[in-house]
Amino acid sequence: MKAILAIPVVVVIVLLDQITKLVAEATLAATPRPVFGDWFRFALVYNPGAAFGLHLGPYSRWLFMGLTAGALVILGRLYQQTEQHDFRRVLAVALVAAGAVGNVIDRIRSEYGVVDFLDIGFGVHRWPTFNIADIAVSSGAFLLALVLWREERRELAAQAAAGEAATPSPTNSRDLAP
């Protein structure tokens, strides 16, 4: 059951991400192209680092590929531990994994780094340029955090309820009367 949701999500996100990146590389020049005025525009940027342009020197590409591989292993374990009916958790893991795969494909195929092309902001106040894979990772990570937080709350509530049931209630003299 989980695979019925996870596999199409991963495939669609990775394909959409890669197609949009190829189109961006083929059609965008160094000059940003306005879509909705200055607020939203297309601008081709190569990011050799990680999120928000974090760059760790000449070995960033290899380091981030290794970190991505590690993250995919952890996501695989989360997926395996996820119950069949937990569609929110499956969706969250699939989104994060799809985004990670989309960006690692860029790192493998080009020494320039990840292709980013979505640019939002006002004037000089811009959010770091991003792509479809980044949207998938961010939204999936947010959803996964929410799902795991709710799971923890349910577990704590269940433990509290089990603790109350196991604790004998105080008796008063009327309860002991024949």
Side-chain angles (χ1 to χ4, degrees), residues 163-171:
E164 289 175 12
T167 305
S169 60
T171 58

Side-chain angles (χ1 to χ4, degrees), residues 2 5-6 9-10 13 71-72 74-76 78-79 82 86-100 133 135-149 151:
K2 295 186 296 190
L5 175 61
V9 167
V10 170
I13 294 295
L72 287 171
I74 292 168
L75 290 167
L78 272 173
Y79 175 79
T82 301
D86 195 347
F87 292 113
R88 286 186 186 128
R89 186 167 167 174
V90 170
L91 177 61
V93 170
L95 285 169
V96 175
I135 294 170
V137 168
S138 298
S139 57
F142 177 79
L143 179 59
L144 186 59
L146 184 63
V147 165
L148 294 175
W149 177 69
E151 285 177 14

Side-chain angles (χ1 to χ4, degrees), residues 39-150:
W39 177 79
F40 176 68
R41 57 193 192 178
F42 293 133
L44 181 61
V45 174
Y46 292 94
N47 180 0
F52 307 111
L54 176 64
H55 189 63
L56 301 175
Y59 300 105
S60 285
R61 175 182 181 200
W62 303 105
L63 177 65
F64 290 125
M65 278 195 280
L67 290 172
T68 300
L72 287 171
V73 168
I74 292 168
L75 290 167
R77 287 186 181 151
L78 272 173
Y79 175 79
Q80 288 175 338
Q81 294 169 356
T82 301
E83 295 180 23
Q84 291 291 332
H85 68 278
D86 195 347
F87 292 113
R88 286 186 186 128
R89 186 167 167 174
V90 170
L91 177 61
V93 170
L95 285 169
V96 175
V101 168
N103 281 339
V104 84
I105 289 170
D106 287 8
R107 291 186 197 290
I108 291 169
R109 76 177 175 91
S110 173
E111 65 185 45
Y112 296 121
V114 175
V115 175
D116 290 328
F117 60 93
L118 300 170
D119 180 25
I120 59 173
F122 296 100
V124 295
H125 305 288
R126 319 278 328 152
W127 187 259
T129 309
F130 57 99
N131 58 45
I132 302 298
D134 296 336
I135 294 170
V137 168
S138 298
S139 57
F142 177 79
L143 179 59
L144 186 59
L146 184 63
V147 165
L148 294 175
W149 177 69
R150 285 183 176 171

Side-chain angles (χ1 to χ4, degrees), residues 14-34:
V14 170
L15 285 175
L16 183 63
D17 178 62
Q18 290 302 299
I19 290 168
T20 57
K21 288 173 178 176
L22 290 172
V23 169
E25 286 182 300
T27 60
L28 295 175
T31 307
R33 198 176 279 171

